Structure formats: structure tokens, C-alpha cells
Amino acid sequence: MKVVIVGGVAGGATAAARIRRLDEQAQVVVFERSGYISYANCGLPYYIGDVITDPEALTLQTPESFLARFQVDMRVYHEVMAIHPDKKTVSVKNLQTNEIFEETYDKLVLSPGAKPTQPRLPGVGLKKVFTLRTVEDTFRIKEYIRANRPRSAVLAGGGFIGLELAENLRELGIEVTIVQRPKQLMKPFDPDMAAFIHSEMRRHGVKLALGRTVEGFEERGGGVDVLLQDEAPLHADMVVLAIGVTPDTALAREAGLELGLKGSIVVNDRMETSVPDIYAVGDAVQVKHYVTGADAVISLAGPANKQGRIAADNICGGDSRYLGSQGSSVVKVFDMTAASTGVNETNAEMAGLAVDRVILSPMSHAGYYPGGRLMTMKVVFERETFRLLGAQIVGYEGVDKRIDVLSAAIHAGMKATQLKDLDLAYAPPYSSAKDPVNMAGFMVDNIAKGILDQWFLRDVPALPRDGSATLLDVRTSAEFAQGHMEGFQNIPVDELRGRLSELEPGKPVYVICQSGLRSYIACRILAGYGFKAYNFSGGFRFYDAVMNDYSLSQQATACGMDQ
């Protein structure tokens, strides 16, 4: 059996190695048009920022090491120009000699990946306008910085690459502005959770020009003007386009393979395309979202590696299935960590799901053990069934392990109420006896049992301020004096039982505290005395962070630039 693989990074390299482990006699040929195979895409920004200093560390395998260990013929600088399914051949161009030849196959695996989205805008091809996707892209940016010592950069796009590159450029002392059309960074997060990411970026000097439309680029004064719709241009010494990626599927289209979202390759759960004996994996394929069941294109390294393994299993006579992508991800944002899994509240509602959520601010480990830091968690679930849909966490230590627990819970089909039952490891330096994941489960369980009723940030404008309800802040008087919602009276929770006479019976009570815990206790006290009480999800800390972000964004819009 002869297997030809197009693309030698995550999915392609994984498929090649797996095929060899399953079939020692198979002939495996991999064509990679760049000079590198099995390299760490996710590490590229950190090489630019000198966190990774050895360029060889970016390459997990070389053609020589792959041949030595797996007897796989890795041919770099070879570009597949066409696929001929009727003849079961591919046309290949040697980019070093310009020779074009045909290669036969019994099975073909397409792992072309995705290419940086290149908007059709004036000036995209300027020498000081870069993209970052390959090792070669990385070296070009790094060499430009070494040779020219730029003082400023504009990054068009605020996704994973944009955030990681912003951090690394700031570490080099370069002024950074992120500009993009959406009004928030990191679309996997809801706008309220993205507020914490915005705050961390601003705290480290990154300027955010959100809700702006880029219309082109022009060279001026030794740098580049980023032309904006209806606003003055932004000027910088360099620009990096990081507005997303597009499946690189021209080969598949020309070969007549069925295409789907964004031109991606349609595959079944065995990673088989619409053409017999042709498989496809990685960033170029359309998959099912594990939570919603909807078609999706999810460009992440984890799914690409799994898909490469599944395709290899099936090529070698097995029956492996890809169950879908959850979109689990984590990103370093300077000192902070942000992670998500499943679907956020925004996308769940767009998918037509009836959703509810809990927002909490637990410590990363036991409060009495030194060094604990607050994290902000948002857990999204289906209102009637309590099916766990997704989660987002922004914080410091311990964020990654909590999102992984929640990811596993979603994959296992657990209900949000069952999070309370998970038996999670505890020692004071690492967690609390009631882990943050358990705490989220306790909260959802209280909702399911009718013990907890919530109100949310979106309800603030419609709060009954006409005297028909009581608005109550149960923090200390010192906390209340430092900032509070307009129209709220202050009765600290520890004084509440003795001051119930200050509340008018029969009126609903909307309660808030700093994190949501004391206000929950206050709600239970009030319920015990016949009041109908609602707890603010997330607490004043959450409210203040989101409103401060909104205020800064409004100021930025008014003056044309972030503060």
C-alpha cells in the first residue's frame, strides 16, 4: 500500500507516523511545500519575542529524523499542484529545481492546513505588512525587527495569534495597537468575559482600536498607514495581519471534492472525503461541533492531531471515528490565562438553545495558603435539561486545569448539576476542598432545586427603580463607599437579620455583593423571612470590570483611539 500525504505539519505528520506504527510495509510519502515539517505553529510568536531563542526548537521533527525513525519519505519544498482521482496520481513540483512529476497513490491524505486570511485591500502586499503562519513567516518578521528596530506595530486581528504576538512585541519594547472590526478580542469568549482580557492588555500598554474597519495600507514616512473607515489612519513601523485563517483547499476544489463552510473540505466521521480513497484532516476540513452538532471549521492543533490519527487508523483497515470538535483552547495574556471550551452564551443563543449560566469568582487555591489569585468563571448550560454547554475562565494559576475538567465533563455528556459530584484532587497549594468546578455545580444545583434565583448584567437597565422593588447591596459600608450601583441601599449581610424592618415586605429584593457569595447568603436569609430575593450573578467585581471596559471603549470611540 502506498500512501501520499499532502502537508507535513500537525495532521499530516501525525498520520504518517501512525500509519508506520500500524503497517511496517506501507510506503508513505509526504509532500510539504515549506522547508519545515512537524513544526510548532503555536510557538511562533514566542520565538519572535525571544521567549524561545533556538530556532531549531520550533521544529519537532526533521525530514532526516522522520526517515530514520519511521521510514517515511518526507519531501520538503515540494508542492502538490493537482490531484487526479481518476488516475490516483498527484502532480508535484519540486520548488528547488522546478521539476514537475506525477506520483501515484493507493490512499491520499490531504492536510493542507489553512492560510492567513488575506483581505482584498490596497497595500496588502507591502513589504512592511506581514502575516504569521509558517516558520518562514516567523523568520521574516524576526529579521525585520532585528534589522529595523521598529518602535510601533499595528496588529490587524485580536484572536490567538494577535494576542500572543501583541504580548511578545510588547516584551521587545514595541508599541502595539490591535485593530479589528469586532468590538471585542477573542470571539470564543462572551463580551463580558472578554472585558477581563481587554483590561489585561491595556494594563500592559496594548492599545485597542476595536469596532474599526480596516480599508487598506499605505507607505508613508518610512512606515505604514493603516487606513480606517471614517477615521484617521493609524501609523506604525510595521503591520501584521492576524485576522484569521481560511482553509487552503484550492487543490480539493479543482479535484472535485465536496466543499463546505468557508470552502472547507467535507469529510465524514472517518475523515473520508466525497472521493474514494481520499482523506482530509486538520484546519482545512469541516467537522461537527461536539456540543451543537452544527457544521463548523475549528482550526486548532489538538483536533488536527486526532484527525490525522483517525485517518491513519482507517487507511490501515481500522474503524476509528471523529466525534466532533469542542473548541477547547487556552491562551496566555501577559500574566493572565484565558481558556474556553464548548459554546459560549452568545453562540448558544444564536444556535437556538435556551441557556442559563452561573458566574463566580473563586480562588485558585485555598485562601489561607499564600499566593492564591481570583479567577472568573462562566459556566453555560441548557435551561430545562441542565446539559453542560460550555465554560470560560479568565485568571491566573489553575485556569487550565479547571477548563480541562469542564471540557471532559462536556465530552462525557454530564449535566451542569453533576459538577458538584466530581471528586477532584485537593491540597492547599493547588485547590480548595470545594474546588471551583464543584462550586459551579453547587450553584447550578441550587438553581435546579429552586434555591437560587439570579439576575444578570443585561437586567441592569430594566431594574425596577420606581420603588416597586428593593435594591440591596450587602457588602461592608467601606466597600459600598468605594463604588456601587446607582439606587442601591447598603445593609451589610452580617447586619441583615437585625435590619429587616428597613425592607418593605412584599417587594422583591435584588441583591448584590462583591463576588456573589455574600449576596447568596443574604438571599437565603431573606427567603427565610418571606422575601422573594434575586442574586446578582458575578457580583460587583464582575459588574465593575465589564462596565469599566465598556466605558473605556466608548471613550476610545469618541476620541478615535483606546486609552
Side-chain angles (χ1 to χ4, degrees):
M1 178 177 65
K2 181 177 180 181
V3 183
V4 168
I5 300 175
V6 181
V9 191
T14 296
R18 178 69 171 172
I19 290 169
R20 175 57 68 232
R21 288 194 293 270
L22 296 177
D23 186 343
E24 186 64 23
Q25 307 307 318
Q27 181 183 357
V28 184
V29 181
V30 179
F31 294 114
E32 168 59 45
R33 64 187 164 201
S34 76
Y36 299 87
I37 56 104
S38 190
Y39 60 84
N41 287 80
C42 303
L44 302 183
Y46 298 99
Y47 176 72
I48 291 171
D50 288 336
V51 176
I52 299 170
T53 56
D54 182 2
E56 292 186 2
L58 297 173
T59 305
L60 308 179
Q61 292 276 0
T62 65
E64 294 76 20
S65 66
F66 228 99
L67 179 64
R69 178 160 296 180
F70 298 110
Q71 286 299 295
V72 167
D73 185 3
M74 281 279 188
R75 303 187 201 177
V76 295
Y77 299 117
H78 280 70
E79 182 174 8
V80 174
M81 309 298 292
I83 303 168
H84 311 291
D86 54 334
K87 299 187 295 181
K88 298 189 91 169
T89 65
V90 292
S91 297
V92 187
K93 182 177 182 180
N94 183 326
L95 299 179
Q96 294 177 308
T97 66
N98 290 322
E99 174 197 3
I100 296 178
F101 59 92
E102 285 202 357
E103 190 83 19
T104 61
Y105 67 83
D106 296 310
K107 305 288 185 180
L108 179 66
V109 179
L110 301 180
S111 181
K115 56 188 176 183
T117 302
Q118 290 272 23
R120 295 181 178 178
L121 298 175
V124 164
L126 295 175
K127 291 183 179 180
K128 295 178 182 179
V129 177
F130 300 89
T131 58
L132 178 57
R133 183 66 179 173
T134 67
V135 174
E136 288 90 345
D137 294 337
T138 308
F139 291 160
R140 278 193 289 270
I141 293 174
K142 186 70 173 177
E143 182 55 35
Y144 176 81
I145 292 173
R146 284 174 177 163
N148 297 277
R149 299 190 180 277
R151 293 179 296 176
S152 59
V154 167
L155 310 182
F160 291 99
I161 293 295
L163 263 65
E164 292 169 347
L165 189 55
E167 175 180 347
N168 281 280
L169 292 178
R170 286 296 295 144
E171 294 296 333
L172 296 176
I174 297 172
E175 293 182 5
V176 175
T177 300
I178 296 178
V179 57
Q180 66 170 13
R181 184 179 299 171
K183 293 184 178 181
Q184 70 165 84
L185 303 175
M186 294 299 294
K187 294 302 286 183
F189 292 81
D190 287 312
D192 50 13
M193 294 296 288
F196 292 89
I197 299 174
H198 296 171
S199 177
E200 184 73 358
M201 298 296 282
R202 292 184 179 112
R203 190 170 74 86
H204 285 85
V206 177
K207 296 178 181 179
L208 304 181
L210 306 178
R212 269 70 168 194
T213 299
V214 176
E215 294 193 322
F217 309 94
E218 290 182 355
E219 286 187 313
R220 184 178 66 84
V224 181
D225 274 352
V226 180
L227 308 179
L228 304 179
Q229 186 180 75
D230 301 326
E231 290 190 35
L234 301 173
H235 186 77
D237 295 326
M238 62 182 294
V239 172
V240 181
L241 298 179
I243 58 178
V245 294
T246 303
D248 192 356
T249 55
L251 275 176
R253 180 183 296 106
E254 292 166 5
L257 276 64
E258 182 184 352
L259 302 183
L261 295 175
K262 301 180 182 178
S264 58
I265 303 171
V266 173
V267 294
N268 61 17
D269 58 0
R270 288 169 51 86
M271 308 313 298
E272 295 168 325
T273 71
S274 60
V275 175
D277 295 322
I278 300 181
Y279 297 74
V281 301
D283 295 353
V285 305
Q286 174 179 291
V287 297
K288 296 293 184 184
H289 195 287
Y290 187 80
V291 175
T292 66
D295 292 333
V297 178
I298 297 177
S299 300
L300 293 169
N305 279 279
K306 294 180 185 72
Q307 293 160 14
R309 177 186 174 94
I310 288 167
D313 284 355
N314 294 322
I315 286 169
C316 294
D319 186 23
S320 292
R321 307 278 173 160
Y322 187 67
L323 301 180
S325 294
Q326 264 178 235
S328 301
S329 62
V330 63
V331 63
K332 182 178 180 293
V333 187
F334 291 98
D335 300 327
M336 187 175 273
T337 300
S340 68
T341 188
V343 290
N344 60 28
E345 180 185 0
T346 305
N347 291 335
E349 290 179 340
M350 289 175 60
L353 298 172
V355 301
D356 204 346
R357 63 280 193 207
V358 293
I359 301 166
L360 57 158
S361 301
M363 293 285 285
S364 57
H365 61 240
Y368 60 83
Y369 188 88
R373 304 286 296 275
L374 283 173
M375 64 179 71
T376 304
M377 294 178 59
K378 183 175 188 177
V379 177
V380 181
F381 55 95
E382 202 165 26
R383 185 175 294 123
E384 297 298 327
T385 66
F386 295 95
R387 178 169 68 108
L388 191 58
L389 300 176
Q392 303 150 64
I393 312 178
V394 181
Y396 300 89
E397 65 177 34
V399 167
D400 53 342
K401 83 170 182 178
R402 271 65 186 224
I403 208 69
D404 282 342
V405 171
L406 289 161
S407 174
I410 292 172
H411 187 82
M414 290 178 61
K415 294 184 177 182
T417 49
Q418 293 177 291
L419 295 176
K420 72 182 190 307
D421 302 319
L422 291 175
D423 192 350
L424 303 175
Y426 160 61
Y430 303 105
S431 185
S432 300
K434 292 185 284 191
D435 187 86
V437 174
N438 295 137
M439 289 300 300
F442 294 146
M443 294 171 68
V444 180
D445 185 60
N446 283 338
I447 293 171
K449 292 176 177 176
I451 296 171
L452 171 63
D453 291 300
Q454 301 184 101
W455 62 286
F456 300 95
L457 191 63
R458 65 172 64 172
D459 300 321
V460 172
L463 278 177
R465 300 177 185 274
D466 57 359
S468 61
T470 300
L471 309 181
L472 182 63
D473 189 320
V474 296
R475 295 176 297 159
T476 65
S477 56
E479 289 174 300
F480 185 79
Q482 290 177 355
H484 56 269
M485 283 193 194
E486 182 181 353
F488 277 69
Q489 69 182 94
N490 179 222
I491 302 177
V493 64
D494 293 339
E495 302 174 17
L496 183 58
R497 290 184 180 87
R499 296 175 62 179
L500 288 173
S501 61
E502 299 178 30
L503 307 181
E504 188 173 338
K507 288 185 177 180
V509 186
Y510 292 85
V511 191
I512 189 171
C513 72
Q514 189 68 10
S515 68
L517 176 58
R518 284 174 289 173
S519 51
Y520 166 66
I521 294 169
C523 285
R524 296 312 303 151
I525 293 171
L526 291 168
Y529 289 92
F531 290 88
K532 181 62 177 178
Y534 300 88
N535 187 30
F536 182 72
S537 186
F540 186 80
R541 170 182 173 270
F542 182 78
Y543 167 83
D544 192 47
V546 177
M547 295 309 294
N548 184 58
D549 177 61
Y550 176 77
S551 176
L552 287 173
S553 296
Q554 291 297 102
Q555 293 174 33
T557 299
C559 70
M561 180 49 61
D562 199 312
Q563 303 299 306

